[in-house]
Amino acid sequence: MKSRRRLWSLFAALGLAASAHAAGPVLVIHAGAGAPRKDMPPAREKAIRAALTQALLAGYTELKAGKPAIDGVTAALVVLEDDPLFNAGRGSVFTHAGTLEMDAAIMDGYTLRAGSVAAIDHVRNPILAARAVMEHSSHVMLVGAGAEAFARSQGLAMESDAWFRTEERWQQLQRALKEDAAKQPHGDEATAKHFGTVGAVALDVDGHLAAGTSTGGMNDKLPGRVGDSPIIGAGTYANSDCAVSGTGWGEFYMRTVAAHAICMRVTQLRMPIARAAAEVINQEIPAMGGNGGAIALDERGHIAIPFNTDGMFRGWIDGSGKPHVAIFGDEDDGTGEPLPAPAPDDAASGR
Ligand code: ASP
């Protein structure tokens, strides 16, 4: 009887590991934190929900066909980068000088290989440039003109300024410039609350994870500013247990090394991903004065989507093939994750 029970526990343990793969594939995406309801006309909301669904289905098609997690991430992000609604690729925000400087990163949790690009212009899909750095160079990160030349050498599609420019982003910069003139330079406090970066994390049918993030950065940023998104470990990270893509006030994600901090809680402390992500995003970052959100996924398909802004464009899809999309903070995103019990609050420590 005893040995049968032991045998059963062994099967159960194996079953648990297998069920992770059976639950896969899983894809989670975000298209930025922010989004108060009052700033969201119904037509825009509808368009955003449709775009998120389209990105989920594009990534899921790859994953369902048995392709690696990195392919699911890439396919979803290309759709979001091409959509002018979001602050990545087409529709990126402008720098203080009215120029475009886009950042992107991708990481394969299975191989721990990574690629990133920063402060690039003209490359239609920065996530493809990041992936090319990972797959076709001996480096992890390329920036500026060198990154652009590399993307060209890889045959990636290039576009003119007109492709990327949207009137809405241009006006967003004009408002920020007026605010700059009136008070603090490059503060852009109003628009800093409305981000728009895109990101994806995926679990493939083999149980491997990947993460990717792409952004125009922050509106009115100083030329040359690089945010967290292309920094491996800050805005983007994946290993065999955990994949994270962040969105928010990048300087704080860099200072907390947010994506890596979440994954190390999972890998080293065996902390549930929902709690790990909530501790970093909703405690550490706000305690330092930052804000934003993240999507996180573990190797068993558990999803966490913490954020401390009014809303966050987000969506997920699993083996059932049904896409779930949400925008506002009071909306159930359907991940079914109970809120993690609050961890010890270190806000008082003055960090
Ligand atoms: N984290 C990005 C950055 O600081 C901005 C965003 O998430 O929208 O560049």
Side-chain angles (χ1 to χ4, degrees), residues 48-93:
I48 286 169
R49 288 184 191 275
L52 292 173
T53 304
Q54 195 197 337
L56 281 172
L57 293 175
Y60 181 74
T61 302
E62 298 291 306
L63 297 170
K64 196 68 185 169
K67 301 266 188 66
I70 203 94
D71 284 353
V73 163
T74 306
L77 291 182
V78 164
V79 169
L80 296 171
E81 284 180 337
D82 280 349
D83 196 317
L85 284 170
F86 307 116
N87 171 23
R90 190 179 196 189
S92 285
V93 296

Side-chain angles (χ1 to χ4, degrees), residues 4-5 25 49 54 76 81 91 95 236 240 246 248 251 255-256 287 332 344:
R4 260 176 70 185
R5 192 172 293 159
R49 288 184 191 275
Q54 195 197 337
E81 284 180 337
T95 68
T236 308
S240 56
E251 278 68 12
R255 290 163 62 200
T256 54
D332 180 12

Side-chain angles (χ1 to χ4, degrees), residues 3-334:
S3 66
R4 260 176 70 185
R5 192 172 293 159
R6 223 177 289 138
L7 202 60
W8 172 243
S9 348
L10 183 65
F11 279 138
L14 289 174
L16 204 63
S19 76
H21 303 176
V26 181
L27 175 68
V28 190
I29 60 172
H30 70 74
R37 229 182 248 280
K38 65 173 177 42
D39 294 353
M40 187 70 62
R44 186 178 173 83
E45 180 183 334
K46 202 171 158 205
I48 286 169
R49 288 184 191 275
L52 292 173
T53 304
Q54 195 197 337
L56 281 172
L57 293 175
Y60 181 74
T61 302
E62 298 291 306
L63 297 170
K64 196 68 185 169
K67 301 266 188 66
I70 203 94
D71 284 353
V73 163
T74 306
L77 291 182
V78 164
V79 169
L80 296 171
E81 284 180 337
D82 280 349
D83 196 317
L85 284 170
F86 307 116
N87 171 23
R90 190 179 196 189
S92 285
V93 296
F94 291 95
T95 68
H96 186 70
T99 51
L100 279 183
E101 294 186 358
M102 301 177 287
D103 302 336
I106 195 156
M107 184 159 187
D108 182 344
Y110 180 48
T111 59
L112 296 181
R113 294 172 77 204
S116 84
V117 288
I120 60 166
D121 193 2
H122 302 121
V123 180
R124 174 170 172 153
N125 294 112
I127 197 66
L128 296 182
R131 185 160 174 177
V133 171
M134 178 177 91
E135 290 178 338
H136 304 299
S137 85
S138 54
H139 307 300
V140 168
M141 185 174 204
L142 293 178
V143 306
E148 217 175 299
F150 176 76
R152 268 181 218 277
S153 77
Q154 294 297 307
L156 296 185
M158 309 298 278
E159 299 287 353
S160 67
D161 293 349
W163 164 263
F164 296 98
R165 185 189 195 281
T166 64
E167 190 52 28
E168 187 191 341
R169 295 300 185 199
W170 186 250
Q171 291 311 326
Q172 201 177 343
L173 174 65
Q174 304 317 307
R175 286 195 296 277
L177 292 177
K178 263 192 211 138
E179 282 173 23
D180 289 350
K183 36 184 183 106
Q184 57 175 122
H186 321 302
D188 188 14
E189 293 199 32
T191 46
K193 293 189 191 108
H194 309 281
F195 306 106
T197 292
V198 303
V201 291
L203 174 71
D204 63 28
V205 290
D206 293 320
H208 301 149
L209 292 157
T213 314
S214 180
T215 186
M218 287 178 78
N219 181 40
D220 191 31
K221 64 186 179 183
L222 283 175
R225 179 263 189 187
V226 173
D228 60 308
S229 309
I231 306 292
I232 300 303
T236 308
Y237 190 76
N239 63 16
S240 56
D241 304 310
C242 165
V244 173
S245 169
T247 176
W249 197 335
E251 278 68 12
F252 293 90
Y253 285 66
M254 292 158 88
R255 290 163 62 200
T256 54
V257 202
H260 188 257
I262 294 170
C263 287
M264 285 307 103
R265 281 167 163 79
V266 175
T267 296
Q268 296 183 338
L269 306 179
R270 307 313 306 173
M271 193 182 275
I273 195 145
R275 179 170 188 141
E279 278 192 12
V280 175
I281 301 299
N282 288 336
Q283 292 183 8
E284 277 199 25
I285 287 177
M288 290 170 70
N291 65 353
I295 49 174
L297 180 62
D298 75 11
E299 94 290 359
R300 291 171 57 196
H302 296 131
I303 296 167
I305 313 184
F307 55 93
N308 46 60
T309 45
D310 290 332
M312 177 165 152
F313 301 153
R314 57 201 190 276
W316 66 277
I317 187 167
D318 66 10
S320 72
K322 186 177 178 318
H324 303 259
V325 161
I327 297 181
F328 307 111
D330 54 7
E331 203 177 336
D332 180 12
D333 54 26

